[in-house]
Amino acid sequence: MVELPARKLGQEFTLGPLPSYTSAQDILRTSISSLAPTSRQPVSEAAQEYMKVNANGRWVDFDPSTTPYAVEPANMLSSRRYREWILAGPARAGKTVILLQGVAHGIVCDPGVTHIVQMTDRAAELWVDEELTPMIENSPALAKRQGMGVSDRNKISKKFIGGAKLTIGVPTVSGLANRTIRSIYLTDYDRFKLSVGGEGAPFYVAAKRTEIAKSRGMAAAESSPGHEIMDPDWTPKTIHEAPPCAGILDLYNGGTRGRWYWDCLDCGEAYEPRFDLLQYDKKASPFDAGEQAEMKCPHCKALLGFRHRNEVNRKGYWLHETAEGGVARIESGDVLRSMRVSYWLNGTAAAFTTWSRLVEKYETALRAFKKTADDEALKVTINTDQGLPYLSRVALDQDHLTESGLKAKARVYPQGVVPSWGRFVVTTVDVQKGKFVVQVMAFGVDGQRIPIDRFDLHTPPADAPRSGERTLDPASYLEDWEVLRELLTRAYPVEGEEYALNAMAVCCDFHGEPGVSDNATKFWQKRRSEGEAQRFYMVRGHGGSKTADRVWYSAPTRKSDGKKARDIKLLNIATDKLKTTVYAALNRPDGGPGSQLVPAWMAQEHVLEFTAEQLTKTGWKKRPNMLRNEAFDLSGYAQAYAEFKGLNRLRPDALPSWAAHGLTNDFAVPLEVAGEETPIKASAPPMRRRKIKYLE
């Protein structure tokens, strides 16, 4: 009812024009699509007719020939035979566009409820703003069906004439519970947590929401592989089996295991285009190697140039494993091995990348790994560019590193002496009950390093309470931490030179028995007040392989509100990543750039500490019956600080002063006059001003 304004006595009242009524014809015309039967038009054809895509800033009709490998997977999104759908492959191969095709089909041809799951709220917001909303608004057939109400077009829910509805969320129990959903699409699946609220893998939790739709329901997930191979000794039992991995490839293995095939232009035989079939000069520069890359047919050995890729891609086809162990096309009618349709695409066939770029990125990362023993870039390019799971070089070689092996290739250097190639020194400290364990590492500009000293500090300072009656107690006595200060002034002579090097920094473990962190905080605060905070660092380790960075310097925060928890800045390190780097560096038999050498003077029990841990599915863990791992831990601290300072960015032609040769080095001190002892610690033999001969 329209409420009219009150009229004063004697005042003329004129009723303004009322809004026009919507006619029954208009209502019927708008809603008639809700009565239309479900269309059997294939998803890829519907996308071609109704959907626009962004092509370098221009919105154009979707063209399935751009990504021919996407046609079959897209069509299977509306399958009544399969109720689960999996696609693994490289980044930027058009995987998300396949799901958008399913969205377009669900709006126009077969309206229903579709729920899209992104890894985080922020990722969901960006995807809606940058992918979903522009696609709908620039596709007239979709835009005219979108409801006009405020609730019809918000961030997390979009409604359409005809009964179609899109919702967007994240992988949480609350976001998936008590929902009735016909189609659910999980994007970038391997960046999800492996379990949703302790109730199981996100895919299986999500798939339960579609069961009420029976054969019309569809649970789909896509991702590039993001989890490492669990078994380095794995060999495939079937032609298309993927290595044992968590995440998307585990789901793929439970499906039909489809792979994309080409027919050789020379011999006509079918083969899967794979990165390991690319041929190029592995000794050439990464750029030149990439420019040379050609695909070798595994049957006739003929080489295929990149210029022919589009031609063979357009003629390509998917082959799935059959129940009998063979392979067949999905339309052949053969009984496949599963009622979950699954696909795995190799990066060489991806439409939006080139072989030259694939090879260049791989060779660059591989050579960086050989130099620095850091395999992060290598893992990224294998996962996201090639679409393959990563097999840790450490997991592959970790049984090769033994105490006897390390001792056999130990280098003979005097204890307490920096090798001639050493440019800076890092002292690291582990806090133990009754002592500080100290290890000193010398680094070269190419990342090669070697321990030059190892000792324990047991005795409290003379002015500490009851110093003559007890051993060191870092958890109980703040005064005991003062023994660390003199580590900054211990100078280590450089082999064959007239100078020695002080430690660039002392990096100490922040954790330990109750009371250690409190005393560490107070000790660091005193160092800051005396201007020494840039040389004393407290180290806090973070386990797991999903940390965004390897090393970062920041104040600790509370999980509840994100505010500072202590008045201290910590050198935070991704423990498992740094330990992987150390392990790979120790495992290099030839030494050289990025290697960690073991000195012959090192005690047997300390060498054994380098082998105390093994890489497991959840990170580095102590081996059975191994009690001590300090050498391994402290090597990780030293590597972390060196990277934080800029080790991996050093250029021999433009070295910073802290890595310079000679007395221009920030931490160099001249040796005392001939005949007098150098200022090194008492545990090392007294060194006089002389040339130090390198011993083979």
Side-chain angles (χ1 to χ4, degrees):
M1 182 175 110
V2 178
E3 183 177 345
L4 299 177
R7 181 168 62 90
K8 296 181 180 179
L9 185 63
Q11 179 182 1
E12 293 291 335
F13 178 80
T14 304
L15 186 65
L18 295 174
S20 60
Y21 289 99
T22 300
S23 69
Q25 289 178 324
D26 290 337
I27 294 174
L28 183 61
R29 186 182 302 111
T30 301
S31 60
I32 193 67
S33 60
S34 302
L35 306 176
T38 298
S39 170
R40 295 188 177 182
Q41 187 176 23
V43 172
S44 61
E45 292 182 11
Q48 190 173 8
E49 181 174 353
Y50 304 120
M51 177 178 161
K52 301 280 187 178
V53 293
N54 190 342
N56 298 321
R58 295 185 303 112
W59 287 91
V60 300
D61 292 335
F62 171 73
D63 181 3
S65 67
T66 302
T67 53
Y69 49 77
V71 173
E72 181 185 306
N75 291 338
M76 288 299 105
L77 285 172
S78 63
S79 170
R80 300 292 293 271
R81 179 179 181 184
Y82 301 100
R83 296 179 60 184
E84 295 178 351
W85 180 101
I86 302 298
L87 175 61
R92 314 309 299 175
K95 301 190 302 299
T96 307
V97 175
I98 298 177
L99 298 185
L100 287 174
Q101 293 180 58
V103 168
H105 184 269
I107 293 172
V108 179
C109 301
D110 189 14
V113 178
T114 299
H115 185 59
I116 300 161
V117 184
Q118 287 281 343
M119 54 184 170
T120 63
D121 287 319
R122 179 59 177 161
E125 181 179 344
L126 290 174
W127 186 77
V128 170
D129 286 342
E130 298 174 2
E131 302 281 347
L132 180 63
T133 299
M135 185 272 287
I136 293 172
E137 292 178 348
N138 287 282
S139 302
L142 307 181
K144 72 180 183 181
R145 286 172 167 81
Q146 189 168 9
M148 300 303 294
V150 175
S151 63
D152 294 344
R153 48 179 66 213
N154 60 41
K155 290 280 187 184
I156 62 172
S157 178
K158 298 181 184 297
K159 298 177 184 177
F160 299 84
I161 295 169
K165 180 180 180 181
L166 292 178
T167 58
I168 300 93
V170 294
T172 61
V173 173
S174 60
L176 296 173
N178 300 319
R179 297 286 306 275
T180 299
I181 303 168
R182 192 187 69 190
S183 299
I184 188 164
Y185 300 159
L186 296 89
T187 69
D188 211 6
Y189 184 78
D190 273 16
R191 280 75 205 170
F192 292 6
K193 292 182 178 179
L194 291 177
S195 178
V196 177
E199 296 194 8
F203 182 79
Y204 295 109
V205 175
K208 294 291 290 185
R209 302 298 101 210
T210 67
E211 287 183 351
I212 197 170
K214 299 188 181 298
S215 65
R216 295 189 68 199
M218 177 60 72
E222 63 81 16
S223 183
S224 56
H227 297 283
E228 293 187 6
I229 297 173
M230 298 175 183
D231 180 7
D233 298 321
W234 168 86
T235 55
K237 297 180 178 62
T238 65
I239 186 171
H240 287 170
E241 184 183 25
C245 299
I248 196 73
L249 288 181
D250 182 49
L251 298 176
Y252 161 86
N253 269 340
T256 59
R257 299 178 183 173
R259 300 280 189 95
W260 183 246
Y261 277 77
W262 292 345
D263 288 335
C264 176
L265 295 179
D266 286 77
C267 69
E269 291 291 327
Y271 69 94
E272 181 191 2
R274 304 189 311 267
F275 183 84
D276 63 322
L277 293 178
L278 290 178
Q279 304 297 297
Y280 57 89
D281 182 1
K282 292 179 172 56
K283 295 182 179 180
S285 70
F287 177 81
D288 290 338
E291 292 297 302
Q292 302 167 6
E294 296 179 298
M295 182 72 68
K296 181 176 72 174
C297 171
H299 305 291
C300 68
K301 314 304 179 186
L303 296 177
L304 178 78
F306 179 74
R307 65 185 181 278
H308 297 297
R309 188 185 68 172
N310 288 345
E311 176 186 352
V312 291
N313 235 6
R314 282 193 293 269
K315 299 175 183 177
Y317 47 90
W318 291 98
L319 293 180
H320 300 256
E321 290 188 359
T322 65
E324 290 76 27
V327 292
R329 297 196 187 194
I330 204 165
E331 66 270 18
S332 67
D334 291 357
V335 178
L336 302 185
R337 66 177 304 277
S338 174
M339 295 308 293
R340 173 192 298 167
V341 64
S342 62
Y343 301 89
W344 185 11
L345 180 73
N346 193 282
T348 54
F352 304 112
T353 190
T354 63
W355 295 346
S356 60
R357 186 63 177 147
L358 286 178
V359 169
E360 181 183 3
K361 292 178 72 173
Y362 173 75
E363 284 296 323
T364 299
L366 180 62
R367 296 174 197 195
F369 166 72
K370 291 179 178 179
K371 178 180 178 182
T372 67
D374 177 6
D375 65 349
E376 284 299 304
L378 188 60
K379 179 180 179 180
V380 168
T381 191
I382 288 175
N383 285 165
T384 62
D385 297 323
Q386 299 176 25
L388 302 175
Y390 182 68
L391 175 59
S392 167
R393 269 45 178 181
V394 171
L396 190 63
D397 295 333
Q398 65 177 321
D399 291 334
H400 300 168
L401 192 64
T402 63
E403 175 199 353
S404 59
L406 289 173
K407 291 296 287 185
K409 61 183 182 182
R411 303 299 178 92
V412 181
Y413 282 99
Q415 184 177 1
V417 176
V418 178
S420 59
W421 44 264
R423 292 294 179 270
F424 63 93
V425 171
V426 180
T427 298
T428 52
V429 182
D430 192 24
V431 184
Q432 296 288 329
K433 185 178 179 62
K435 63 181 177 180
F436 288 118
V437 179
V438 182
Q439 182 169 286
V440 184
M441 190 85 74
F443 283 81
V445 296
D446 61 358
Q448 183 172 248
R449 61 266 195 193
I450 187 172
I452 60 171
D453 211 353
R454 168 67 184 266
F455 54 93
D456 296 342
L457 295 174
H458 293 281
T459 306
D463 56 353
R466 300 175 49 243
S467 63
E469 305 172 17
R470 61 179 178 83
T471 58
L472 203 74
D473 189 353
S476 301
Y477 293 93
L478 173 60
E479 295 86 349
D480 287 7
W481 288 74
E482 291 296 317
V483 300
L484 299 181
R485 294 191 66 186
E486 59 94 14
L487 296 179
L488 288 179
T489 57
R490 294 198 181 199
Y492 292 91
V494 179
E495 173 197 357
E497 300 292 344
E498 304 294 326
Y499 67 95
L501 288 175
N502 285 323
M504 183 161 61
V506 174
C507 302
C508 180
D509 187 12
F510 183 65
H511 292 293
E513 295 181 288
V516 166
S517 296
D518 291 335
N519 284 337
T521 300
K522 294 173 184 176
F523 177 71
W524 183 86
Q525 290 169 343
K526 290 178 66 176
R527 304 286 66 74
R528 179 181 59 188
S529 67
E530 297 182 18
E532 295 176 344
Q534 295 306 309
R535 294 188 67 194
F536 269 104
Y537 291 83
M538 296 300 169
V539 179
R540 180 181 183 181
H542 301 264
S545 59
K546 298 299 184 181
T547 50
D549 300 308
R550 288 169 61 85
V551 187
W552 64 102
Y553 191 49
S554 65
T557 57
R558 294 189 293 260
K559 290 184 178 180
S560 58
D561 57 13
K563 295 182 179 180
K564 287 176 60 176
R566 291 177 181 267
D567 181 22
I568 183 176
K569 295 190 75 173
L570 300 176
L571 189 67
N572 296 271
I573 71 171
T575 309
D576 288 319
K577 293 181 180 181
L578 268 299
K579 286 184 175 180
T580 297
T581 297
V582 171
Y583 201 101
L586 285 165
N587 215 19
R588 291 193 46 174
D590 55 344
S595 65
Q596 180 163 325
L597 308 178
V598 175
W601 59 259
M602 204 167 198
Q604 181 177 350
E605 64 268 23
H606 296 159
V607 175
L608 185 62
E609 292 170 3
F610 287 123
T611 69
E613 298 191 22
Q614 61 184 345
L615 185 60
T616 69
K617 298 176 185 178
T618 57
W620 285 93
K621 306 295 181 185
K622 281 188 180 179
R623 297 177 186 271
N625 303 318
M626 288 286 191
L627 299 178
R628 306 294 298 274
N629 66 345
E630 285 89 337
F632 194 39
D633 272 352
L634 293 174
S635 296
Y637 294 176
Q639 177 68 20
Y641 176 77
E643 291 186 15
F644 169 70
K645 192 66 176 176
L647 172 66
N648 295 337
R649 300 187 299 274
L650 291 181
R651 291 173 44 199
D653 59 338
L655 292 174
S657 55
W658 52 264
H661 177 263
L663 285 170
T664 58
N665 188 296
D666 290 342
F667 303 96
V669 292
L671 294 180
E672 297 182 354
V673 295
E676 296 186 12
E677 294 180 1
T678 58
I680 63 173
K681 74 180 197 67
S683 64
M687 302 299 297
R688 299 186 181 276
R689 189 174 182 265
R690 58 183 174 83
K691 299 292 184 180
I692 301 171
K693 184 179 180 181
Y694 175 76
L695 303 176
E696 293 292 343

